[in-house]
Amino acid sequence: METDPNTMLDQWAEDSEYKWGFVTDIESETVPPGLNEDVIRLISARKSEPEWLLEWRLDAFAKWQEMTEPPWAHWPDHDWRPIDYQAISYFSAPKSDDDRPKSLDEVDPKLLETYEKLGIPLEERAALAGVAVDAVFDSVSVATTFRDKLAEAGVIFCSFSEAVQEHPELVRKYLGKVVPRTDNFFAALNAAVFTDGSFVYIPKGVRCPMELSTYFRINQMNTGQFERTLIIAEEGSYVSYLEGCTAPQRDENQLHAAVVELIAMEDAEIKYSTIQNWYPGDENGVGGIYNFVTKRGLCQGDRSHISWTQVETGSAMTWKYPSCVLKGDDSVGEFYSVALTNNHQQADTGTKMVHVGKRTRSNVVSKGISAGKGHNTYRGLVKILPGAAEARNYTQCDSMLMGSACGAHTFPVIEVENPTAQVEHEASTTKIGEDQIFYCNQRGISSEDAVSMIVNGFCREVLAELPMEFAVEARALLALSLEDSVG
Amino acid sequence: MSLLEIKNLHASVDGIEILKGINLTIEPGQVHSIMGPNGSGKSTLARVISGEETYDVTEGSVLLGGKDLLDMDPEERAREGIFLAFQYPVEIPGVSTKYFLRTAVNSIRAHRGLDELDAYGFLKLVKEKAAWVELDPALLDRPVNEGFSGGEKKRAEIFQMAMLEPTMCILDETDSGLDIDALRIVADGVNQQRSPDRGFLVITHYQRLLEYIVPDVVHVLLDGRIVRSGGKEIALELEDKGYGWLEEEVAAGA
Ligand SMILES: Nc1ncnc2c1ncn2[C@@H]1O[C@H](COP(=O)(O)OP(=O)(O)O)[C@@H](O)[C@H]1O
Ligand SMILES: [Mg+2]
């Protein structure tokens, strides 16, 4: 078999031109649809990856081929669209600047209006709207400033591809350690074909000098549907990371299958916040993204701490269970979630807290909001292993229904194998009442503001976990996502 | 011009008529009381005036200061000056009473062409008005009505009324479930708010409240109709004899 990646690439390009007959220069950067070993070799070659990583991908691919897509629950009210894995194009180079708007004047005014409603800072709007980077005033220098500041602290924060080139030993050491490449169907697919993502390394004793967010928001655009993120926090370090943003993100791809791995050493803390607002499909349930994500954190060291916070308002279908393996003694895992489904959206989300070490603690707060014909499912596992003496878990799981056509479902599983552990579970379901809205109206408050207020009140404990500026945007996002569901 | 003018008001829910032709006029500065047995339509009248959408108005008109209320959304009516102290105030978990009220005060101020109240001005107002009904301001950091005792809920309603400075105040059985001390506190709070340009419609089951909030006119509501109007003495008569005799009289007259 051909081994030199570059020769192989040329060969492949020639072949494909012949086979698929695509000719234009612009498209020569895009792989035609389909998945096979050659495509994986091509991705790896395009990224000049080391041999071991190619092997790693190929191995994942081989295992993936033996796996079957999980037949997970979805409720009526959503017409399942089977995913044709051979119809996906697994690699496309970033859009060239020529294809992008040159300035904000060329951007759809409706989109800009939404940015405004969400309270997205002026200087970020151009970047989010996909305006060619050169035309985005300051964004490059902003990014550079961030980089300098981070470098000074010894923090590595770069794209996954860059990390593979510049820190191969770190990537090799930790990649797939928390989410094995064959963990599940979608994780295996991601391992085989991931194109990019982010890499963060916080050295021992370093407190990351800023939220890894603003920089990320500007630079994360077009990272693609198979994202891979790896965050390593060495002993005694701290980092707060924000993924995604409130700005609506259109994407033609049906499937998103990201993998996120977090590792916290002794006394380290990782706070990972997500705002997910991928295209949810239209009000009739046509289109929208299937967002099947594997996120897991390993509390490796004693007294380490991993906290997941998520605000999920997008995607047609979400399957996502950010989890913590609490290995170190006295380590802490947290999960704070708001999932909002409207129209025909369905979200199946929750967490797994696996208690391994002594006196490990976990805290789970899940808030599901269903409107329209949306369905929200909480699916959680709390597992206390025999060695986890005096482990504690507290789970609170609240659902809010708007209207009578939507649904809320909870499937908590608790497995306790140590008698000294304490596990508590509380659940509630409330209906957002016409009478609550009328009460607000009667005090001069519009229905829209009332719903926003009631929903934000319901989610308060989760929103409080978000970094300040994003909490403000997240509030606006929740209100906006429900705008049309108020009578 | 009259403050509130209700003419031949008919309202139904799910096709069942509940209000069967109400006529009622309240002048600025007046206190009117509506009495009537359970199920006679008192709360329905209050809710129809404030614009709850579950009720279909099939006939009649309601004017506030000459403006057609039936054309307005409930929030517009509130901004125009209608206030309803609810019989059963709802809870809004996670939303602090202060935040809720500040939103309310400012949306009403905006409608009246006034500037938003800043945090300082708002808190000053809160302190002053909370004292009127002896409401502990610490309560206002709690979510709206959540964990409030029955009496606290009623006092909070009257406090909200003071904050929003409406022109037409409707009290729906604000006295029910209150002991005599709480009743007096609530009544004092209301009396402090009486003014020459403000009107009150006090709905009650018992005449007890009317000893503290003295009405100009008392109406008796029976099965969706006002069957009698008069002075304070009607309340005493009802207290004495109950509603039965009136029901018989109305039936005989019909
Ligand atoms: N939303 C509603 N749906 C159905 N029936 C209602 C509704 N509101 C009121 N009613 C009916 O209308 C009548 C009057 O009720 P209400 O106005 O609450 O009386 P009151 O306040 O005088 O006790 C009752 O028979 C009640 O059952
Ligand atoms: Mg009533």
Side-chain angles (χ1 to χ4, degrees):
Chain A
M1 193 173 274
E2 185 57 72
T3 47
D4 177 31
N6 288 318
T7 329
M8 197 207 72
L9 175 60
D10 293 339
Q11 187 62 46
W12 190 91
E14 273 177 44
D15 283 352
S16 53
E17 195 167 326
Y18 167 72
K19 268 193 216 149
W20 288 283
F22 67 86
V23 286
T24 67
D25 282 336
I26 302 169
E27 280 181 332
S28 68
E29 298 265 48
T30 300
V31 178
L35 183 53
N36 52 45
E37 281 204 2
D38 286 344
V39 168
I40 293 166
R41 286 175 193 283
L42 174 91
I43 293 169
S44 193
R46 285 285 303 170
K47 301 186 154 294
S48 313
E49 287 177 355
E51 187 64 27
W52 66 265
L53 189 49
L54 174 61
E55 290 305 323
W56 194 82
R57 287 175 181 275
L58 290 174
D59 183 59
F61 178 62
K63 302 271 170 43
W64 178 75
Q65 285 181 297
E66 292 161 18
M67 299 165 107
T68 44
E69 186 185 87
W72 288 346
H74 52 275
W75 305 93
D77 299 322
H78 178 91
D79 293 322
W80 177 260
R81 289 167 285 140
I83 301 162
D84 180 354
Y85 295 92
Q86 295 302 334
I88 296 172
S89 169
Y90 288 87
F91 184 84
S92 70
K95 257 192 188 171
S96 114
D97 280 357
D98 297 340
D99 298 338
R100 296 156 167 250
K102 303 284 173 296
S103 74
L104 277 178
D105 300 338
E106 291 178 27
V107 174
D108 180 4
K110 258 199 167 147
L111 187 65
L112 296 178
E113 200 183 297
T114 309
Y115 290 173
E116 175 140 20
K117 278 191 190 169
L118 288 168
I120 290 171
L122 212 55
E123 60 274 14
E124 284 179 34
R125 292 182 197 169
L128 290 172
V131 173
V133 169
D134 294 355
V136 178
F137 71 99
D138 257 9
S139 85
V140 177
S141 66
V142 168
T144 318
T145 315
F146 278 139
R147 283 214 139 185
D148 290 350
K149 224 168 143 188
L150 290 172
E152 218 169 278
V155 171
I156 303 170
F157 179 33
C158 60
S159 75
F160 206 94
S161 312
E162 267 179 277
V164 168
Q165 300 307 320
E166 286 164 34
H167 310 281
E169 68 300 337
L170 284 174
V171 174
R172 191 169 187 178
K173 186 168 171 194
Y174 292 110
L175 180 68
K177 289 296 179 295
V178 186
V179 179
R181 70 199 122 153
T182 53
D183 188 81
N184 66 66
F185 183 84
F186 296 106
L189 178 64
N190 175 290
V193 303
F194 73 89
T195 36
D196 216 331
S198 305
F199 178 84
V200 178
Y201 178 83
I202 316 289
K204 188 170 164 179
V206 170
R207 194 179 165 86
C208 187
M210 68 194 73
E211 307 266 358
L212 296 184
S213 56
T214 312
Y215 166 90
F216 187 64
R217 293 218 305 189
I218 293 170
N219 287 272
Q220 69 161 352
M221 306 316 291
N222 302 312
T223 39
Q225 47 178 348
F226 301 104
E227 228 175 304
R228 183 126 202 147
T229 301
L230 177 56
I231 300 178
I232 302 140
E234 290 284 11
E235 202 180 311
S237 67
Y238 168 84
V239 62
S240 165
Y241 184 93
L242 191 122
E243 172 205 12
C245 74
T246 51
Q249 298 182 57
R250 286 252 167 191
D251 189 318
E252 301 310 316
N253 298 305
Q254 182 192 350
L255 174 68
H256 279 226
V259 171
V260 177
E261 299 180 272
L262 313 180
I263 302 172
M265 306 305 179
E266 215 170 280
D267 294 303
E269 180 175 353
I270 303 175
K271 212 170 145 48
Y272 193 105
S273 315
T274 303
I275 292 180
Q276 188 267 115
N277 190 24
W278 293 108
Y279 183 54
D282 68 13
E283 64 276 17
N284 300 312
V286 177
I289 285 177
Y290 285 1
N291 193 32
F292 302 152
V293 179
T294 307
K295 289 183 163 173
R296 197 172 303 153
L298 173 62
C299 282
Q300 169 76 40
D302 292 349
R303 294 169 305 279
S304 55
H305 186 162
I306 288 179
S307 167
W308 298 102
T309 305
Q310 60 176 24
V311 175
E312 304 277 326
T313 61
S315 299
M317 181 76 64
T318 299
W319 291 345
K320 183 186 211 178
Y321 316 91
S323 301
C324 296
V325 178
L326 304 169
K327 202 169 164 198
D329 289 345
D330 300 289
S331 61
V332 179
E334 291 172 297
F335 175 73
Y336 300 99
S337 171
V338 171
L340 183 155
T341 52
N342 197 355
N343 298 317
H344 293 254
Q345 285 178 278
Q346 305 205 345
D348 193 311
T349 184
T351 184
K352 292 180 201 168
M353 292 290 175
V354 180
H355 292 251
V356 184
K358 296 187 192 67
R359 295 172 304 276
T360 45
R361 280 175 291 141
S362 61
N363 195 27
V364 175
V365 180
S366 161
K367 305 275 180 178
I369 302 152
S370 316
K373 295 186 169 175
H375 283 261
N376 230 304
T377 302
Y378 173 81
R379 199 180 295 278
L381 170 70
V382 176
K383 194 178 173 81
I384 314 275
L385 291 173
E390 290 171 65
R392 275 188 288 145
N393 161 267
Y394 173 73
T395 299
Q396 183 192 335
C397 192
D398 299 322
S399 310
M400 180 178 261
L401 301 170
M402 292 181 66
S404 49
C406 54
H409 320 269
T410 29
F411 301 106
V413 176
I414 299 169
E415 295 171 10
V416 179
E417 296 171 27
N418 184 304
T420 60
Q422 281 179 33
V423 177
E424 254 182 283
H425 181 95
E426 281 179 31
S428 78
T429 300
T430 48
K431 233 176 172 168
I432 188 167
E434 298 284 317
D435 53 344
Q436 280 175 325
I437 295 176
F438 179 62
Y439 188 79
C440 295
N441 287 160
Q442 213 303 304
R443 301 303 187 243
I445 300 168
S446 71
S447 296
E448 262 172 33
D449 287 352
V451 167
S452 157
M453 193 184 273
I454 294 165
V455 166
N456 279 306
F458 175 70
C459 302
R460 194 187 38 165
E461 297 128 286
V462 174
L463 298 177
E465 293 295 323
L466 285 175
M468 195 52 179
E469 67 268 36
F470 291 106
V472 174
E473 284 184 28
R475 273 171 211 283
L477 176 61
L478 289 172
L480 209 59
S481 306
L482 288 170
E483 207 166 60
D484 302 323
S485 49
V486 190
Chain B
M1 196 192 309
S2 303
L3 179 58
L4 185 73
E5 201 173 355
I6 302 176
K7 279 197 179 139
N8 190 30
L9 183 66
H10 290 255
S12 52
V13 63
D14 300 330
I16 299 166
E17 187 161 72
I18 296 167
L19 300 183
K20 302 172 179 172
I22 304 276
N23 292 291
L24 177 64
T25 302
I26 299 177
E27 302 300 332
Q30 279 189 331
V31 175
H32 286 229
S33 171
I34 291 204
M35 299 186 71
N38 275 331
S40 56
K42 303 183 298 295
S43 293
T44 302
L45 176 62
R47 286 169 169 264
V48 167
I49 297 170
S50 1
E52 187 171 331
E53 275 142 21
T54 21
Y55 302 96
D56 301 317
V57 174
T58 50
E59 227 185 309
S61 63
V62 181
L63 304 182
L64 179 73
K67 282 192 201 169
D68 183 1
L69 275 188
L70 297 180
D71 254 7
M72 300 178 197
D73 288 334
E75 62 269 31
E76 272 182 272
R77 300 184 197 199
R79 293 168 193 167
E80 285 290 333
I82 296 282
F83 182 93
L84 171 59
F86 285 79
Q87 184 173 2
Y88 304 107
V90 299
E91 300 179 358
I92 308 179
V95 178
S96 86
T97 309
K98 267 187 194 149
Y99 180 78
F100 170 81
L101 256 185
R102 204 172 151 199
T103 310
V105 166
N106 281 330
S107 47
I108 288 173
R109 287 179 68 94
H111 182 78
R112 293 177 186 165
L114 300 169
D115 286 341
E116 273 201 1
L117 265 190
D118 61 13
Y120 176 76
F122 176 76
L123 288 179
K124 210 175 128 206
L125 199 63
V126 163
K127 235 177 136 180
E128 181 195 329
K129 305 282 162 114
W132 285 12
V133 285
E134 300 180 25
L135 197 66
D136 179 3
L139 209 61
L140 305 173
D141 291 320
R142 300 230 297 258
V144 179
N145 292 318
E146 203 180 54
F148 288 27
S149 71
E152 283 169 343
K153 279 185 187 168
K154 296 299 172 80
R155 271 189 280 164
E157 290 289 287
I158 302 306
F159 160 70
Q160 288 191 26
M161 186 167 104
M163 289 294 293
L164 300 182
E165 305 189 330
T167 49
M168 182 65 227
C169 309
I170 306 168
L171 279 64
D172 190 359
E173 297 208 24
T174 300
D175 53 335
S176 64
L178 295 185
D179 63 29
I180 197 71
D181 291 332
L183 184 71
R184 207 169 36 230
I185 292 167
V186 163
D188 282 352
V190 172
N191 286 329
Q192 291 207 53
Q193 295 179 53
R194 291 183 68 163
S195 81
D197 46 11
R198 188 171 284 161
F200 287 83
L201 184 60
V202 180
I203 295 172
T204 180
H205 200 71
Y206 308 102
Q207 71 89 32
R208 191 178 66 155
L209 177 66
L210 306 181
E211 288 172 15
Y212 297 96
I213 306 172
V214 181
D216 298 297
V217 188
V218 176
H219 309 273
V220 182
L221 190 67
L222 270 188
D223 190 26
R225 288 188 188 89
I226 290 177
V227 296
R228 184 148 307 189
S229 302
K232 200 179 154 230
E233 65 287 349
I234 294 187
L236 292 169
E237 202 176 345
L238 286 172
E239 177 93 336
D240 231 26
K241 306 202 265 180
Y243 290 101
W245 65 278
L246 248 182
E247 279 164 10
E248 279 162 29
E249 212 181 280
V250 169

